[in-house]
Amino acid sequence: VQLQASGGGLVQAGGSLRLSCAASGKIVSINAMGWYRQVSGKERELVAVINSSGTPNYSESVKGRFTISRDDAKRSVYLHMDSLKPEDAAVYYCQFGVRTNLFRKDNNDYWGQGTLVTVSS
C-alpha cells in the first residue's frame, strides 16, 4: 500500500490550500483517514481525522478553519485549509488505517511521504 500526498505550497497568511492524499495497492477497505503535521524539532501532531462513517474530528488549533473529507471510491482524503496562519506551516502527512487481508479484520497504518506547507506573514 502506498499513499501519495500532494497540494502543499507557499501561501500568504489568510489564504487557503487544499491537500490531497490517495492510496494505491492491495486494499480491502480503509478505516480512518487522518492528517498530521510536523515542524522540525517537534513531535508530529494530529490535525484532523475522519472515520469510515465520515465523522470528522479536529485539533483545537484548526477547528473552524480546516475541513477534512474523504472519497472512498477514489481512496482519497482531502484537507481544505482556510485562514491559514504562520503557525500552520509544517510538513503535512496523511495516514490511513488499511485492511489488506480479506480474511482478517485488523488494520495496518500507512503514511504518505509528506507535503510542505509554508505560510508567509
Side-chain angles (χ1 to χ4, degrees):
V1 176
Q2 293 186 328
L3 271 57
Q4 181 69 43
S6 61
L10 172 64
V11 64
Q12 287 189 331
S16 299
L17 276 177
R18 184 177 185 251
L19 306 182
S20 301
C21 180
S24 60
K26 182 183 175 185
I27 296 172
V28 173
S29 61
I30 302 174
N31 191 3
M33 300 176 174
W35 287 98
Y36 292 72
R37 65 187 181 188
Q38 187 170 24
V39 176
S40 180
K42 295 188 177 181
E43 290 189 0
R44 192 171 297 187
E45 64 171 355
L46 175 67
V47 175
V49 63
I50 186 167
N51 66 14
S52 58
S53 298
T55 302
N57 277 289
Y58 301 93
S59 69
E60 286 299 320
S61 62
V62 307
K63 198 173 291 185
R65 299 187 298 121
F66 290 11
T67 302
I68 189 171
S69 61
R70 62 189 286 165
D71 185 333
D72 289 317
K74 295 182 178 180
R75 297 176 171 178
S76 294
V77 68
Y78 308 97
L79 186 68
H80 190 88
M81 305 183 291
D82 288 323
S83 304
L84 281 160
K85 305 175 181 180
E87 52 263 43
D88 294 319
V91 178
Y92 282 71
Y93 297 89
C94 54
Q95 182 261 327
F96 289 8
V98 179
R99 179 183 173 190
T100 59
N101 191 322
L102 186 61
F103 303 103
R104 296 184 59 172
K105 293 186 177 180
D106 54 312
N107 295 321
N108 293 315
D109 289 339
Y110 293 89
W111 291 86
Q113 83 284 6
T115 184
L116 178 64
V117 172
T118 305
V119 184
S120 63
S121 56

